[in-house]
Amino acid sequence: MAQPDSQYDPPSTMGPGTSYFRAEALSIRTIGVEEHIMFPQLMSRIPKDSHAAAIMKSMMSNSSVTYSKSRTTNGGEQRIKNMDEGGVAMQILSSVGLPNCTHLGDTDPKGAVELAREINDELKKVVDSNPTRFKAFAELPMHDPEASVAKLHRCVKEMGFVGAMLSGTIGGSAKFLDGPEFDPILSAFEELDVPLYLHPAIPPKAVWDKYYAIDDKPDLSAAFGLAGWGWHNEVAIHVIRLAISGTLDKHRKLKIIVGYQGEMMPMMMQRFDTRFPEKEFGFERSVGEMLRSQVWIAVSGMFSLPPTQAAIATWGVDRVLFAADYPFQNTQRVPEYLKALGDVVAPSDLRKICQTNAEALLKFKV
């Protein structure tokens, strides 16, 4: 964690907790679990006239992602410099999944499997270039569960990856992972004891057209359907489906990470437990218990205390992880946020959020 010039630097913003770190927190080694990188030479294989590619173009025109534009492809000095500025000791890298290999799977299933392999090879190169600062989540061709099992085994056992990330539903199919065809890959996550990170992505075209498309305003539609609202809602739907369909009970050792302060689910916990009574629906556990037992929440660059406090209050501090969502958020904001968080949680809890929860889940020491 970045150390202040003095113990009582002037606050950078009005409000509590922005002026200093408590002494016990100064040795924390912050791990960011959702930090992205793009490989344009590979992602160019996804047809440029596809729904996902068109929406991605509109998204990248938003002024909120200006910081990212020179940083998405950088795995070297620029990234390390920004990590040092934010006091981030390690990043868990993942491919920018908007779109991802499953979108190619809609038209070229075999090509999508090969694309996943090449993305993982590129991720491995970046990790190997600086192994004390980087680890990685695998890209999996989830449209092909059998191939995904093989890819996950290779990435974890041979390449040292610490899990995998799925962005959105399965390509343009709108499939969630509660279907029986995905039991083999979910079982593989259990067998290897690594987490599956469910990250947002571009909603399928049919959903987009009905819910998010605003006539003649593609950039506004992209803001609404993606980071402004829509994709957070989709991840929440995915996780709730895994719970109420019985998938989490079938795969009790499955570990899931979601980002963005819990994808709006912490505020709904009371609703989950009252509207899905176990006896009425035949659940073995309450929805809340399923989520708290098997789902971890990452901050993902939403540097605001109220949603973090809601996540801690509903999930418990042992299930909360730090993530900067680099390069889509400025890492220079990290120390300010952690100073503020350190004023409302104990130093031992701040260490859990920033470091030791991730170390325990991902099974390494930084």
Side-chain angles (χ1 to χ4, degrees), residues 137-149:
F137 286 130
E139 174 92 353
L140 299 180
M142 287 290 207
H143 63 285
D144 185 335
E146 183 179 348
S148 292
V149 171

Side-chain angles (χ1 to χ4, degrees), residues 215-283:
D215 289 345
D216 301 320
K217 294 184 178 180
D219 294 351
L220 179 60
S221 300
F224 176 36
L226 300 179
W229 181 262
W231 67 12
H232 305 296
N233 178 60
E234 185 178 81
V235 173
I237 290 171
H238 201 158
V239 173
I240 296 164
R241 285 182 67 107
L242 291 174
I244 65 176
S245 67
T247 303
L248 291 185
D249 273 334
K250 185 186 297 184
H251 298 280
R252 290 286 186 110
K253 295 181 180 180
L254 179 64
K255 298 174 181 177
I256 293 170
I257 307 172
V258 299
Y260 304 103
Q261 304 271 27
E263 307 288 17
M264 306 186 291
M265 289 185 286
M267 66 166 286
M268 295 296 293
M269 188 64 76
Q270 185 269 351
R271 215 56 173 166
F272 297 154
D273 283 340
T274 58
R275 299 301 175 179
F276 297 111
E278 302 98 292
K279 290 183 179 180
E280 184 170 340
F281 292 110
F283 298 155

Side-chain angles (χ1 to χ4, degrees), residues 33-101:
V33 301
E34 185 192 320
E35 321 302 334
H36 302 294
I37 190 167
M38 182 182 287
F39 306 109
Q41 75 278 17
L42 299 179
M43 301 314 294
S44 63
R45 296 182 196 172
I46 295 172
K48 291 183 173 57
D49 60 351
S50 67
H51 164 69
I55 301 304
M56 177 69 171
K57 183 177 179 181
S58 290
M59 173 191 164
M60 293 307 294
S61 72
N62 192 299
S63 61
S64 68
V65 298
T66 299
Y67 176 82
S68 72
K69 290 184 178 178
S70 64
R71 294 172 167 86
T72 52
T73 62
N74 191 292
E77 292 182 8
Q78 178 69 60
R79 184 175 291 258
I80 295 297
K81 177 178 181 289
N82 294 150
M83 290 169 66
D84 291 342
E85 289 169 345
V88 177
M90 176 169 282
Q91 288 187 347
I92 313 301
L93 300 174
S94 52
S95 174
V96 175
L98 317 168
N100 57 62
C101 70

